[in-house]
Amino acid sequence: MATDLDIADQIVETVARWVDNEVVPNASTFELADEFPDAMVEQMKAFGLFGCVIPEQYGGLGLDHITYARLIEEISRGFMSLGGVLNSHLIVCTMILRFGTEAQRERWLPDLCSGETRAAFSLSEHDAGSDAKAMTCRAVPDGKDYVINGTKMWVTNGERARIVALMAKTPDDRVTCFIIEKDPGTDFENITFQKVEKLGYRGLETMEMTYVDQRVPAENMLGDLAGMGRGLNAALSALELGRINIAARAVGVARASFEAAMAYAQQRETFGKKIYDHQVIAFKLADMATKLEAARLMCHSAARKLDEGIRADLEAGMAKLFCSETAAELAFEAMRIHGGNGYTSEYPVERYYRDAPLMIIGEGTSEIQKMVIARQLLDKYRVD
């Protein structure tokens, strides 16, 4: 159901004001120090954003996906990493909502929606990212438990999460999702943690997590016994939301890049005039503004498809592809417009430049998106 536009506008405007007042002035400090922005995350909890697309009956706000995309754009223009805090969390919430039993929804979703319980999504491994079926993580039944062995990579929120939605192969070689319940931190039972150092997307932990004979109750299989072998279905279904998040984050970074370049071009002078008055710079900014608007429209189009209750693989893939590539292009152009200043940490454009590649890689690389799009196009336009 579509969110009332007046209510949606009020929520987005409230978050936008907070971004202007609290996030934008402080984002570079946290990002350069690679320090987790606790106060910002607490405010996102207060806004109800950790359950924003989950129905009210489970403690969420029940917002539509277009409103969600608008919120993620606003947050990410201030600090892209904050959009990542929400992304992995809401992917897991969506998996539980769509594929969990009613008992599991009632058990986990209320605390997830409040943000008191944080969630991490754990699919990728060192040699199994895009090729998820190549995973080697195993779950073997033992009495009333399953025993997990394997190493997972790129686990956003891994340290602070209380719940990890982990994909592992059962003895029949099918991928099944298990909900691992743990304490926040980097010391829990038979799980070891290693932080991954990154070019960008800083201020938020990305973890390698290794499980050695870690026990999980059989009742924590997502969907109970009906969930056996449905892990990839659950993950890929929820990744539609993840790709809309990535697209919206990319729009946020592209917007921040454009707005920084636009402001700088009206302040910086060369050869006796503002650099905006040089046609080469004005035309560059015109191209940037056009591509930014196109990216936003594609993102909203994919979100609208999801709101209609229709599978949005094609639209979400297109949006993720176009928006992420646009973010990278606009971040680079903004740096060029800033000249030498853009290469320093005094200006935020160097952060946008380092953050943008994450959107090209995360939730399926651009190359994988093209494969998904091409496959969908053949189904849609097949000639008999």
Side-chain angles (χ1 to χ4, degrees):
M1 182 179 296
T3 303
D4 180 86
L5 187 57
D6 288 338
I7 294 174
D9 287 346
Q10 290 174 19
I11 294 171
V12 173
E13 288 166 8
T14 297
V15 170
R17 283 195 299 271
W18 168 68
V19 170
D20 287 334
N21 295 332
E22 300 296 334
V23 178
V24 170
N26 299 302
S28 288
T29 300
F30 285 100
E31 198 274 344
L32 290 170
D34 200 10
E35 178 183 346
F36 190 78
D38 285 294
M40 295 180 188
V41 172
E42 287 300 312
Q43 185 57 59
M44 292 199 301
K45 285 167 58 176
F47 285 139
L49 298 182
F50 282 89
C52 58
V53 295
I54 303 302
E56 293 180 55
Q57 71 184 92
Y58 299 112
L61 297 181
L63 300 179
D64 61 23
H65 294 93
I66 291 180
T67 305
Y68 175 59
R70 293 174 63 194
L71 287 166
I72 295 300
E73 176 188 335
E74 292 293 346
I75 291 167
S76 299
R77 72 174 171 85
F79 190 6
M80 187 274 287
S81 295
L82 291 176
V85 174
L86 293 174
N87 186 35
S88 295
H89 179 90
L90 284 167
I91 286 174
V92 176
C93 291
T94 300
M95 290 173 68
I96 294 171
L97 178 68
R98 294 179 182 175
F99 291 87
T101 65
E102 183 59 28
Q104 289 173 338
R105 289 192 283 267
E106 292 175 354
R107 175 183 173 187
W108 288 314
L109 285 177
D111 283 344
L112 287 167
C113 288
S114 72
E116 290 305 311
T117 292
R118 202 81 49 78
F121 176 68
S122 190
L123 173 63
S124 294
E125 299 178 5
H126 282 284
D127 296 315
S130 299
D131 183 10
K133 291 183 180 179
M135 72 174 63
T136 60
C137 186
R138 292 283 171 174
V140 177
D142 183 27
K144 295 183 178 180
D145 297 335
Y146 276 79
V147 179
I148 308 293
N149 281 281
T151 297
K152 291 294 186 177
M153 276 295 291
W154 317 118
V155 188
T156 301
N157 293 333
E159 177 181 342
R160 290 170 172 81
R162 290 183 181 274
I163 280 179
V164 180
L166 177 138
M167 278 12 92
K169 286 184 176 178
T170 43
D172 59 4
D173 220 32
R174 294 190 295 167
V175 177
T176 298
C177 178
F178 294 88
I179 302 298
I180 309 295
E181 296 178 281
K182 71 175 192 66
D183 296 332
T186 56
D187 182 17
F188 184 78
E189 295 182 357
N190 297 331
I191 308 173
T192 58
F193 302 76
Q194 179 66 47
K195 183 177 179 181
V196 179
E197 301 295 337
K198 309 184 295 291
L199 169 70
Y201 194 34
R202 293 161 60 83
L204 169 63
E205 81 273 14
T206 301
M207 308 298 290
E208 175 191 83
M209 296 174 64
T210 299
Y211 300 78
V212 179
D213 295 333
Q214 176 63 35
R215 304 185 77 88
V216 57
E219 66 185 17
N220 281 28
M221 182 187 295
L222 184 64
D224 207 349
L225 292 178
M228 180 73 75
R230 300 189 69 201
L232 274 184
N233 289 341
L236 294 176
S237 173
L239 279 173
E240 287 183 336
L241 177 68
R243 285 170 181 157
I244 287 171
N245 173 287
I246 290 281
R249 268 195 274 173
V251 173
V253 171
R255 174 180 164 190
S257 301
F258 167 72
E259 290 178 352
M262 192 72 196
Y264 189 81
Q266 296 174 77
Q267 298 163 0
R268 175 71 169 170
E269 291 189 4
T270 61
F271 305 104
K273 59 183 177 180
K274 307 293 186 186
I275 63 172
Y276 187 85
D277 293 327
H278 295 286
Q279 189 179 70
V280 66
I281 299 298
F283 280 13
K284 190 185 293 285
L285 287 160
D287 284 339
M288 292 169 70
T290 301
K291 291 174 182 178
L292 170 59
E293 182 63 14
R296 181 181 292 117
L297 291 171
M298 285 195 74
C299 178
H300 289 188
S301 176
R304 185 175 296 108
K305 198 83 167 181
L306 210 55
D307 285 331
E308 293 171 356
I310 302 171
R311 283 299 297 265
D313 305 69
L314 177 62
E315 292 79 8
M318 285 178 167
K320 193 269 182 189
L321 171 65
F322 185 81
C323 294
S324 62
E325 295 289 350
T326 297
E329 180 182 348
L330 266 59
F332 187 43
E333 292 295 346
M335 179 179 286
R336 294 176 69 172
I337 289 171
H338 279 71
N341 285 332
Y343 202 62
T344 71
S345 58
E346 182 180 353
Y347 291 81
V349 291
E350 63 86 27
R351 167 160 55 90
Y352 308 148
Y353 181 73
R354 289 185 291 105
D355 276 347
L358 181 278
M359 274 79 74
I360 291 176
I361 297 168
E363 318 299 24
T365 64
S366 287
E367 290 72 25
I368 290 296
Q369 298 314 309
K370 290 176 182 179
M371 289 173 58
V372 171
I373 292 165
R375 189 163 54 240
Q376 294 284 327
L377 289 176
L378 192 59
D379 290 341
K380 187 175 182 179
Y381 295 101
R382 187 179 300 276
V383 177
D384 294 331

